[in-house]
Amino acid sequence: MATTVFSKLSKIFFLFAIYCALDPFKHSSISKYPDFQTFKIDMPPLSSLPKERDHENLLQNSEIKFLNEVQGPESIAFDPLGRGPYTGVADGRILFWDGTRWTDFAYTSNNRSELCDTKSSLLAYLKNEHICGRPLGLRFHKRTGDLYVADAYFGIMKVGPEGGLATSLTTEGDGVPLRFTNDLDVDDEGNVYFTDSSSVFQRRNFMHLIVSGEDTGRVLKYNPETKETTTLLRNLQFPNGLSLGKDGSFFIFCEGSIGRLRKYWLKGEKAGTSEVVALLHGFPDNIRTNKDGDFWVAVHCHRNIFTHVMAHHPNVRKFFLKLPITVKFQYLLQVGGWPHAVAVKYSKDGKVLKVLEDKQGKVVKAVSEIEEKDGKLWMGSVLMSFIAVYDLP
Ligand SMILES: *[C@@H]1O[C@H](CO)[C@@H](O)[C@H](O)[C@H]1NC(C)=O
């Protein structure tokens, strides 16, 4: 045990040393935020994390689809007729696979220009996201066929089945502007439940948000009758994925920094209250419900001793952020070592039902969302330029 931890740490530091040597002057500066602060993250002890692992690395059996045709496909959705997938990509477009090719379906920015057509690295898109838009969570309304979009910069939007420019539903909640709208779900009446990951940091400064551990994240509700947006929960550290339960009596969302699933009751005697239902293996992203009412949670990496120490020592995190290394390497350091995808299926009560991994990150390095459809898992990621498809046995 001690030796494996040691070898992991030495691997990290070895790579770190090489990276510093090769790439010393690309500062991920914190000077933009003179008041930048880091906070303790109350991460549960490693011993309490789920024990279930996938020692067969089953995710390595995934098929890589659409390689280099989609950049950073975070969320994946199929319309009520089963067509798709639809996905939001790094340049701000929402694309539709019509069975033979990708077409532009919709977009969220009314101010797109050649700026949005950068064809370089995934990280290069970050620079213009606030102009081009960045569609994250996507959901179809089953009856109307409208597509609901959580755009990281433009808030909650909606676009009809014919696509085009999405219209804004809300950009604030209780008077506080949405800063990093992340994921959403919509019920039959058109109520939208969604997460705003931070009131301070935008997505293009996600590294600051991760390092900071600040708690201005919220879970909100948009009511289509009153057109009002209200805050259901506040003071959350990086809330991320959100999904309604099959019967609509609750939703479950991820608390990113701490790494756990929380259930919020909408109906019944516990309505308006919430409870922690599960701890997660690592740093979570989106959640999607399958036809049985179970939840697939996308997790980046496993927590290890290193991430644990970082969580409890805000000053160490701040020190690392000041190091002259690229965002890419910051991410490895701060999120937890070697990138590898973990897909975990939870019951509605938070029991682990299945774990699928690619520990070496050989095929699926990262995963942002897992959408189950007809016995297949469709996996997108903001860090990949393909969609991975896994056949369930
Ligand atoms: C529109 O985009 C241009 C860059 O292409 C930017 O300079 C300008 O501020 C944007 N306008 C608005 C209203 O966002």
Side-chain angles (χ1 to χ4, degrees):
M1 174 69 191
T3 48
T4 57
V5 168
F6 182 74
S7 76
K8 248 188 200 160
L9 284 179
S10 49
K11 186 160 131 195
I12 290 171
F13 281 108
F14 178 65
L15 287 166
F16 176 61
I18 293 182
Y19 219 88
C20 287
L22 291 177
D23 213 351
F25 299 115
K26 289 192 182 168
H27 238 281
S28 66
S29 162
I30 59 174
S31 57
K32 267 183 281 192
Y33 297 100
D35 302 330
F36 185 77
Q37 272 185 295
T38 49
F39 301 89
K40 188 165 178 258
I41 297 165
D42 227 347
M43 208 176 272
L46 285 177
S47 58
S48 64
L49 297 187
K51 299 285 178 292
E52 296 85 348
R53 298 289 302 257
D54 166 17
H55 296 291
E56 294 173 89
N57 288 309
L58 290 170
L59 275 190
Q60 290 182 358
N61 300 329
S62 304
E63 184 196 348
I64 300 300
K65 282 175 91 91
F66 315 123
L67 183 61
N68 296 326
E69 295 173 34
V70 283
Q71 301 296 331
E74 131 110 356
S75 184
I76 290 172
F78 293 88
D79 69 22
L81 298 174
R83 293 175 307 190
Y86 297 73
T87 189
V89 291
D91 66 12
R93 289 174 300 159
I94 297 166
L95 304 177
F96 166 53
W97 176 254
D98 68 4
T100 50
R101 64 193 183 104
W102 287 102
T103 56
D104 289 3
F105 176 71
Y107 42 99
T108 51
S109 167
N110 60 9
N111 185 29
R112 288 184 70 81
S113 63
E114 62 278 8
L115 263 186
C116 307
D117 299 329
T118 334
K119 292 245 170 10
S120 50
S121 73
L122 264 173
L123 282 170
Y125 286 103
L126 280 175
K127 204 168 61 180
N128 296 320
E129 280 189 343
H130 60 299
I131 295 165
C132 307
R134 182 49 163 124
L136 297 178
L138 301 181
R139 297 280 192 170
F140 277 97
H141 189 283
K142 289 182 190 58
R143 195 163 33 77
T144 63
D146 289 335
L147 177 64
Y148 287 72
V149 183
D151 185 280
Y153 300 85
F154 304 135
I156 300 298
M157 308 187 85
K158 184 172 95 167
V159 60
E162 68 293 341
L165 178 62
T167 52
S168 171
L169 296 179
T170 179
T171 58
E172 58 80 42
D174 291 313
V176 179
L178 303 176
R179 195 89 181 129
F180 184 170
T181 330
N182 202 320
D183 196 21
L184 81 170
D185 204 351
V186 55
D187 70 10
D188 293 343
E189 288 81 49
N191 294 300
V192 184
Y193 300 94
F194 65 99
T195 53
D196 187 36
S197 295
S198 171
S199 306
V200 179
F201 299 109
Q202 292 191 302
R203 195 188 106 88
R204 53 197 168 127
N205 302 119
F206 70 95
M207 220 43 256
H208 289 79
L209 175 54
I210 290 174
V211 173
S212 159
E214 59 92 20
D215 69 349
T216 59
R218 294 184 290 168
V219 173
L220 307 102
K221 175 187 178 180
Y222 166 78
N223 178 331
E225 303 246 299
T226 62
K227 303 204 173 356
E228 271 171 358
T229 304
T230 46
T231 308
L232 302 180
L233 291 167
R234 48 169 58 83
N235 296 118
L236 300 169
Q237 291 167 299
F238 207 156
N240 200 325
L242 183 152
S243 200
L244 283 161
K246 200 182 170 191
D247 67 0
S249 66
F250 66 91
F251 61 76
I252 285 183
F253 70 96
C254 293
E255 290 181 83
S257 305
I258 295 182
R260 60 189 184 189
L261 291 183
R262 188 180 274 275
K263 186 184 222 172
Y264 183 92
W265 293 95
L266 294 165
K267 295 178 186 157
E269 58 193 39
K270 290 199 242 171
T273 66
S274 72
E275 64 203 75
V276 174
V277 289
L279 302 178
L280 301 169
H281 294 74
F283 195 82
D285 208 324
N286 284 353
I287 315 181
R288 289 297 178 266
T289 314
N290 71 4
K291 61 179 186 330
D292 305 319
D294 302 323
F295 294 82
W296 280 107
V297 182
V299 177
H300 295 286
C301 323
H302 257 271
R303 296 221 185 282
N304 52 37
I305 293 266
F306 187 71
T307 46
H308 210 73
V309 170
M310 295 282 269
H312 288 93
H313 295 88
N315 291 332
V316 179
R317 265 182 280 139
K318 196 166 177 178
F319 168 77
F320 275 122
L321 189 67
K322 284 186 192 167
L323 291 173
I325 54 175
T326 61
V327 171
K328 210 177 196 168
F329 204 77
Q330 279 289 348
Y331 185 80
L332 298 189
L333 271 176
Q334 307 267 0
V335 174
W338 210 238
H340 82 264
V342 188
V344 191
K345 186 166 79 172
Y346 286 88
S347 75
K348 65 183 189 341
D349 305 311
K351 188 168 173 295
V352 176
L353 300 176
K354 198 175 196 68
V355 182
L356 300 168
E357 294 183 60
D358 177 357
K359 279 192 201 73
Q360 292 88 19
K362 269 192 195 151
V363 180
V364 194
K365 261 202 186 60
V367 60
S368 297
E369 182 177 305
I370 301 140
E371 172 77 15
E372 182 179 332
K373 181 175 185 284
D374 306 333
K376 289 181 195 297
L377 301 181
W378 293 74
M379 289 170 280
S381 169
V382 286
L383 303 173
M384 303 192 301
S385 28
F386 56 82
I387 292 173
V389 180
Y390 177 80
D391 275 308
L392 287 168

